[in-house]
């Protein structure tokens, strides 16, 4: 039998197996960590015979990996479950399996309430128990409606498999890697400590092993993830205590790993060693997401942020002193209970002082179970909307000003994917912007020098330098 025939037989077998496999569709809401968790759930389900599909209509299992940060995000999930209920009814009439699962932070926060409000849901599983998903689905097939929302004693990352090299390669040249979960800061607006639990750091060995597998599969850029990523702590190979800076220095030594990023950080955990890493490591990109949430000391105290506006500004000054080309990103909440006109003006002054390259801003929404939900001095919705409009206008101007400042400059860009036009590729700047360019003789994964020629609403345009 020839090699070509063997290859054809293998392809035919693979196609037959795919046709006979159960199919899973995963809808991801919210943060980058949810994106990472969805990928890992897909890997775990692959071991259980599931093939991922991008077409919900052909799925045997639909998983909604949910976010609970804002009220509208949770309501989107219940709206989606209503549509899935109708799909499930049609499937049952056809005698076909259709399992509905809710994962993520809404699952953790609402548990039994999901089963009450959405009787079509078969399984509810929280972020700490994804490694139990195959077992939970087996119980569903036995007729149970399953809830798995306890904080598991075992390490979920130790049990969640990393995909095979071929599957990792198909995902591209950039990757997320979770190194830390949970938060101990207890900001009064935030549900994360209640849905993700207390701060837990993955061991160095797990992180390095996963990183090296990603690089071996062609990944050039890794973004380290954590709800409070710069609180990561672990034990080094010689028994010494490591912080995030030590981890970054070690990851930067991996051959083939050209770029490193991390998100999301808390100002109180931005230590001197981490600032030095921004100075020393060429692989660590000059872009830092460092949320402040508000500019008023009174509101920062009410939020339990445990730093002042001045302390934040002095921290930014130190970071920029170590890495002058660094671009800052942040998060802002407007209309926190008790926020006065002057408090809001203090936030605008903070934005003016920092000059953000990018930022995310939202109206405050009460989250059940958080201390902020019990505060009585709520800001009227129309006031919140007006303040948000002013803030976003200022942030957009700063984003556009930063992009415009890059026109005519030369920079390195990592080519990530094909563009919409023939011969066009889309890359990523050191400051996380999409860069469009004609690069017929280049390939995805290359890092090339380009000259920025123009800006668009959300991207840059360039030519090969």
């Amino acid at each position: 039998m020839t090699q070509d025939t063997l290859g054809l037989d293998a392809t035919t077998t693979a196609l037959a197996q795919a046709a006979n496999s159960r199919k899973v569709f995963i809808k991801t809401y919210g943060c980058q960590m949810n994106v990472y968790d969805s990928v890992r759930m897909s890997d775990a389900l692959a071991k259980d015979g599931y093939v991922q599909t991008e077409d919900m209509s052909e799925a045997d299992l639909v998983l909604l990996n949910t976010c609970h940060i804002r009220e509208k995000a949770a309501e989107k999930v219940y709206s989606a479950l209503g549509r899935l209920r109708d799909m499930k009814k049609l499937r049952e009439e056809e005698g076909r399996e259709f399992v509905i699962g809710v994962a993520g932070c809404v699952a953790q926060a609402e548990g039994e309430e999901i089963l009450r409000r959405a009787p079509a849901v078969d399984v509810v599983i929280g972020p700490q128990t994804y490694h139990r998903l195959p077992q939970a689905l087996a119980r569903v097939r036995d007729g149970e409606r399953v809830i798995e929302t306890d904080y598991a004693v075992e390490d979920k990352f130790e049990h969640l498999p990393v995909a095979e090299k071929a599957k990792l390669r198909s995902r591209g040249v950039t990757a997320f890697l979770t190194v830390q979960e949970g938060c101990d800061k207890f900001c009064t607006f935030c549900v994360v400590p209640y849905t993700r639990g207390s701060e837990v750091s993955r061991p160095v060995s797990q992180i390095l092993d996963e990183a090296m597998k990603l690089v071996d599969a062609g990944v050039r850029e890794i973004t380290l993830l954590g709800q409070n990523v710069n609180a990561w702590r672990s034990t080094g190979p010689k028994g010494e205590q490591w912080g995030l800076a030590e981890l970054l220095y070690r990851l930067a030594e991996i051959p083939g790993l050209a770029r490193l990023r991390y998100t999301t950080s808390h100002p109180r955990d931005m230590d001197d060693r981490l600032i030095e890493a921004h100075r020393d490591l060429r692989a660590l990109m000059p872009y830092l997401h460092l949320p402040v949430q508000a500019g008023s000391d009174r509101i920062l105290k009410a939020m339990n942020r445990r730093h002042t506006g001045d302390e934040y500004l002095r921290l930014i000054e130190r970071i920029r002193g170590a890495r002058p080309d660094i671009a800052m990103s942040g998060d802002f909440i407007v209309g926190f209970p008790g926020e006065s006109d002057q408090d809001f003006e203090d936030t605008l002054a903070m934005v003016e002082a920092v000059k953000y390259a990018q930022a995310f801003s939202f109206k405050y929404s009460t989250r059940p179970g958080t201390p902020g939900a019990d505060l009585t001095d709520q800001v009227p919705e129309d006031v919140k909307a007006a303040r948000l409009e002013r803030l976003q206008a200022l942030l957009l101007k700063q984003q556009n000003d930063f992009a415009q400042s890059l026109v005519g400059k030369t920079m390195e860009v990592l080519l990530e994917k094909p563009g919409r036009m023939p011969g066009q590729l889309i890359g990523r700047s050191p400051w996380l912007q999409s860069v469009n360019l004609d690069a017929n003789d280049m390939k995805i994964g290359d890092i090339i020098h380009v000259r920025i020629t123009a800006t668009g609403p959300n991207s840059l345009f360039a030519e090969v330098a």
Side-chain angles (χ1 to χ4, degrees):
M1 187 176 290
T2 68
Q3 187 174 2
D4 287 346
T5 306
L6 281 168
L8 183 61
D9 286 349
T11 302
T12 303
T13 302
L15 290 171
Q17 289 174 340
N20 294 324
S21 297
R22 294 187 177 97
K23 293 183 173 63
V24 57
F25 176 90
I26 304 178
K27 171 69 174 177
T28 306
Y29 301 83
C31 66
Q32 296 100 324
M33 190 174 290
N34 271 12
V35 174
Y36 175 84
D37 282 344
S38 290
V39 169
R40 297 301 297 273
M41 281 191 284
S42 174
D43 294 340
L45 289 168
K47 297 285 187 181
D48 201 39
Y50 280 91
V51 175
Q52 190 162 356
T53 177
E54 299 302 318
D55 184 355
M56 186 188 294
S57 66
E58 68 178 24
D60 304 288
L61 165 64
V62 173
L63 279 175
L64 305 182
N65 190 9
T66 61
C67 172
H68 204 248
I69 291 295
R70 282 171 292 282
E71 185 177 7
K72 284 185 179 179
E75 288 307 315
K76 282 181 182 177
V77 173
Y78 283 109
S79 177
L81 289 174
R83 295 190 293 273
L84 288 172
R85 173 197 60 207
D86 298 336
M87 290 181 65
K88 186 169 188 174
K89 185 177 179 181
L90 289 172
R91 287 294 187 86
E92 288 174 346
E93 291 172 355
E94 297 169 356
R96 296 170 59 195
E97 178 178 278
F98 192 71
V99 177
I100 301 173
V102 180
C105 293
V106 173
Q108 187 68 41
E110 304 201 8
E112 292 278 359
E113 178 68 6
I114 293 173
L115 296 187
R116 186 190 69 80
R117 285 184 61 176
V121 172
D122 300 289
V123 58
V124 176
I125 190 160
Q128 306 307 320
T129 50
Y130 291 151
H131 56 294
R132 299 179 187 171
L133 185 55
Q135 292 85 353
L137 292 173
R139 290 163 60 192
V140 168
R141 289 192 284 272
D142 287 338
E144 286 188 60
R145 296 182 77 200
V146 179
I147 296 182
E148 285 275 8
T149 55
D150 61 312
Y151 288 103
V153 175
E154 68 271 24
D155 177 3
K156 76 173 184 181
F157 294 106
E158 192 173 334
H159 295 275
L160 282 171
V162 177
E164 299 297 327
K165 183 176 179 178
K167 192 171 183 181
L168 289 175
R169 191 176 295 279
S170 71
R171 291 173 183 164
V173 296
T174 66
F176 294 132
L177 200 170
T178 292
V179 301
Q180 182 272 339
E181 279 198 274
C183 187
D184 295 340
K185 297 297 186 288
F186 288 92
C187 299
T188 55
F189 56 80
C190 186
V191 297
V192 166
Y194 312 101
T195 58
R196 290 277 182 169
S198 59
E199 291 174 356
V200 176
S201 297
R202 289 182 71 185
V204 173
S205 57
Q206 273 190 27
I207 296 167
L208 293 179
D209 181 61
E210 186 169 342
M212 286 187 280
K213 286 178 179 176
L214 290 168
V215 174
D216 187 49
V219 168
R220 305 294 314 277
E221 175 180 301
I222 290 177
T223 300
L224 307 182
L225 299 180
Q227 268 87 29
N228 191 18
V229 68
N230 54 347
W232 181 87
R233 298 288 184 272
S234 189
T235 303
K238 297 180 181 179
E240 71 278 31
Q241 185 71 14
W242 276 21
L244 185 64
E246 280 69 34
L247 179 62
L248 289 165
Y249 279 101
R250 176 62 186 88
L251 288 168
E253 295 174 356
I254 296 176
L257 180 55
R259 288 181 162 193
L260 287 166
R261 303 182 191 271
Y262 62 91
T263 193
T264 292
S265 303
H266 194 289
R268 293 187 65 246
D269 290 313
M270 198 76 200
D271 59 28
D272 291 342
R273 183 66 170 152
L274 189 51
I275 294 173
E276 290 171 0
H278 280 277
R279 180 196 65 198
D280 296 341
L281 296 178
R282 183 174 182 273
L284 184 55
M285 293 294 94
Y287 179 87
L288 177 60
H289 186 67
L290 191 64
V292 64
Q293 307 296 354
S296 160
D297 286 349
R298 193 174 70 85
I299 296 301
L300 288 171
K301 184 175 182 181
M303 289 177 166
N304 194 36
R305 293 291 291 173
R306 289 183 280 181
H307 62 78
T308 66
D310 183 63
E311 287 169 342
Y312 179 82
L313 290 174
R314 284 190 279 115
L315 176 60
I316 298 291
E317 186 178 353
R318 289 168 53 213
I319 295 167
R320 283 178 167 158
R323 186 71 188 261
D325 64 337
I326 201 163
M328 301 304 303
S329 170
D331 290 343
F332 291 90
I333 295 172
V334 301
F336 188 80
E339 183 185 71
S340 67
D341 288 343
Q342 184 56 56
D343 292 325
F344 177 65
E345 293 297 330
D346 290 345
T347 294
L348 293 180
M350 171 74 74
V351 173
E352 289 280 14
V354 174
K355 301 198 181 323
Y356 290 92
Q358 186 179 6
F360 305 93
S361 54
F362 310 94
K363 291 187 292 184
Y364 173 74
S365 62
T366 57
R367 308 312 300 128
T370 63
D374 297 327
L375 298 176
T376 56
D377 194 8
Q378 299 290 329
V379 176
E381 282 299 315
D382 61 335
V383 175
K384 287 194 283 189
R387 289 176 182 171
L388 183 63
E389 186 176 357
R390 285 184 64 196
L391 175 61
Q392 289 184 337
L394 176 58
L395 290 170
L396 180 59
K397 180 183 182 303
Q398 291 189 351
Q399 179 178 322
N400 291 337
D401 288 346
F402 178 73
Q404 193 63 40
S405 74
L406 300 176
V407 174
K409 292 187 177 179
T410 300
M411 66 181 66
E412 286 188 341
V413 166
L414 169 62
L415 300 178
E416 291 187 1
K417 59 184 178 181
R420 288 183 292 181
M421 306 298 291
Q424 187 184 63
L425 290 176
I426 298 176
R428 189 73 59 180
S429 81
W431 300 282
L432 210 60
Q433 301 126 312
S434 291
V435 180
N436 303 278
L437 70 153
D438 292 326
N440 287 307
D441 56 344
M442 307 295 176
K443 64 181 185 297
I444 291 170
D446 286 346
I447 296 176
I448 64 171
H449 283 87
V450 305
R451 184 179 299 104
I452 304 302
T453 58
T455 69
N458 295 296
S459 62
L460 304 173
F461 295 87
E463 60 187 11
V464 177

